[in-house]
Amino acid sequence: MAGYQAAGAAAAPSHWTTRAIATVALCFAINMADGVDVTILSFIAPRVQQDWGIGPDVMGTLFSAGLLGMAIGGMFIAPLADQLGRRKVILAALALMSAGMLASGFAASVSQLFVLRVIVGAGIGTVLAAMAALASESAPDRHRSLAVGLVQAGYPFAAVFTGLLVAQLLPIYGWHALLIGAGAITVVLFPLAWVLLSDAVPAQHDGADGEALQGGVRSLFSPLLRARTLALWGAVFFGLMVLYFVVSWITKLAIEAGLSETNGIYAGALYNFGAFTGTVAMSLLAVRVPLGKLVPAMLCGAALAMVWFGSVEMSVAATMATAFLIGVLLQGGYNGVWPLAAETYPSQVRATGIGWAIGIGRSGAIVGPFIGGQMMAAKVALPFLFAAYCVPLLACAACAFAVQRLSRVPAP
């Protein structure tokens, strides 16, 4: 990867500057807003179902709207950041998110809320890709993985306090007001992004083998990038398949493992706190340990923790601790895929590469919870259920290992 990295990193600062720190901090805050916008629907879902008299199947359709939007944003809007610059596309995505969330607070029907959730998701999918590219390019070369990883930590951090706030505020203000409040958070970030973000457009360079890369989706399948692109897509697909299964069902699974309903909710919150802790830990370790080794090691550890969680009878405290550990290893390890993706692509196709990985990964996010739900409906034993999901988890680890191996292209 040496030749490619030289091309993509030419404008990287040699040390941390005030502007670079502010940019990464802003990206972290925007990712927190993403976390609020995505997770708030799951917390208000029972009240939405009650108010509108809809069943879980219709509510599932509303959940899928956000995933559809994220795929659209990642695959078709985020690549524009490689041609127009990171700033313009991030600002446009923030505007989409703000408008969608604010309007969601006034939605009067399922169809209206579905369309607005697609719009919100499109903004989120766009900023996820563009921010990963921007954070990578803002940081000193040896701290790129740290910067991208810390940005990813904003999402689970927001998930922790969003549930706590919704539990307190929903009975008082209702779900419409909470959606408007979530939109207001994104609006506040817009002027900060306007001031801090640069208008720079990634320069066009030749690849390490002399191959000209002009950007666009076709470049992801050039001879130099094809194998690593497919490996990255595999890592994201299999990783999100497991991640969304656990995130969607962690509370119910904890209850089936022997916890009360209240403690099951706390287990879900502990999982999210573990996800934040693990993502920060991964980011710090990535400065010294290659991501191609660190990510698979964490994911293999997550597989062991999942098997333990589903197979061993434990006390309440031990079950809680295991849920936290799964969050640390599973989401911390999976979030290492994004700095790995930022490393593997040169700057002129970085947002395109990450955006398409986000889009492809949404299918895994849909398949994972669906298969888990079918297995649970079939009364599959908990040990077998968790063991089954270790298979795609280990596939994610293998793909992540392959991405870094394939990215080691010698300089000409």
Side-chain angles (χ1 to χ4, degrees):
M1 194 168 100
Y4 247 162
Q5 276 190 320
S14 59
H15 61 279
W16 281 104
T17 63
T18 302
R19 187 179 188 89
I21 294 172
T23 299
V24 172
L26 173 65
C27 290
F28 176 87
I30 293 174
N31 211 11
M32 282 183 59
D34 292 348
V36 173
D37 292 351
V38 171
T39 60
I40 192 171
L41 188 61
S42 64
F43 293 118
I44 66 172
R47 186 64 64 89
V48 175
Q49 289 183 249
Q50 178 183 331
D51 288 356
W52 284 352
I54 58 177
D57 54 337
V58 178
M59 198 66 224
T61 302
L62 291 176
F63 284 130
S64 68
L67 296 174
L68 173 62
M70 290 171 75
I72 293 171
M75 298 171 74
F76 302 110
I77 305 177
L80 296 175
D82 289 330
Q83 283 76 49
L84 305 177
R86 315 303 190 209
R87 180 177 185 270
K88 292 178 181 177
V89 172
I90 289 176
L91 289 174
L94 285 175
L96 271 179
M97 290 167 57
S98 300
M101 286 302 296
L102 291 173
S104 295
F106 299 95
S109 66
V110 170
S111 58
Q112 289 179 10
L113 189 56
F114 181 90
V115 171
L116 293 170
R117 290 302 296 178
V118 171
I119 292 173
V120 172
I124 291 172
T126 301
V127 294
L128 285 175
M131 286 190 308
L134 178 62
S136 175
E137 293 152 6
S138 300
D141 187 60
R142 68 189 186 94
H143 287 155
R144 284 183 167 194
S145 296
L146 170 65
V148 179
L150 288 177
V151 168
Q152 302 308 312
Y155 189 103
F157 182 71
V160 175
F161 70 76
T162 299
L164 298 176
L165 287 176
V166 169
Q168 298 296 318
L169 299 178
L170 182 60
I172 302 173
Y173 298 104
W175 62 270
H176 291 89
L178 293 186
L179 290 177
I180 294 172
I185 295 174
T186 311
V187 171
V188 170
L189 293 173
F190 191 91
L192 293 175
W194 183 279
V195 172
L196 287 175
L197 298 184
S198 168
D199 274 318
V201 178
Q204 304 299 318
H205 299 285
D206 285 348
D209 59 353
E211 170 193 3
L213 287 178
Q214 297 303 319
V217 179
R218 288 185 180 181
S219 293
L220 304 183
F221 293 93
S222 65
L224 192 61
L225 294 179
R226 185 186 303 120
R228 68 183 77 167
T229 292
L230 293 175
L232 178 64
W233 287 6
V236 175
F237 175 86
F238 290 120
L240 284 182
M241 183 178 173
V242 180
L243 190 64
Y244 270 74
F245 160 70
V246 173
V247 169
S248 299
W249 296 108
I250 183 64
T251 298
K252 183 173 178 58
L253 290 169
I255 293 171
E256 290 199 5
L259 298 188
S260 66
E261 182 178 14
T262 300
N263 285 334
I265 294 172
Y266 287 145
L270 274 173
Y271 167 85
N272 283 310
F273 183 64
F276 168 72
T277 304
T279 303
V280 173
M282 175 276 299
S283 304
L284 296 173
L285 288 170
V287 176
R288 298 183 178 275
V289 182
L291 284 166
K293 296 180 180 178
L294 178 61
V295 171
M298 294 183 74
L299 294 178
C300 289
L304 294 175
M306 286 172 59
V307 170
W308 180 270
F309 186 88
S311 305
V312 179
E313 290 189 12
M314 295 177 283
S315 65
V316 172
T319 304
M320 296 279 197
T322 306
F324 173 81
L325 182 62
I326 292 174
V328 170
L329 295 172
L330 174 58
Q331 196 146 352
Y334 172 75
N335 281 340
V337 170
W338 298 116
L340 187 59
E343 282 185 5
T344 203
Y345 289 117
S347 61
Q348 66 268 32
V349 294
R350 186 168 289 137
T352 302
I354 297 173
W356 271 75
I358 288 173
I360 295 298
R362 294 311 104 181
S363 55
I366 295 171
V367 169
F370 175 77
I371 293 177
Q374 295 299 308
M375 294 177 73
M376 292 170 69
K379 307 297 183 181
V380 171
L382 210 57
F384 182 81
L385 179 63
F386 275 100
Y389 272 88
C390 288
V391 175
L393 189 57
L394 295 177
C396 175
C399 289
F401 177 77
V403 170
Q404 186 146 67
R405 294 280 293 184
L406 292 167
S407 299
R408 292 175 181 172
V409 177

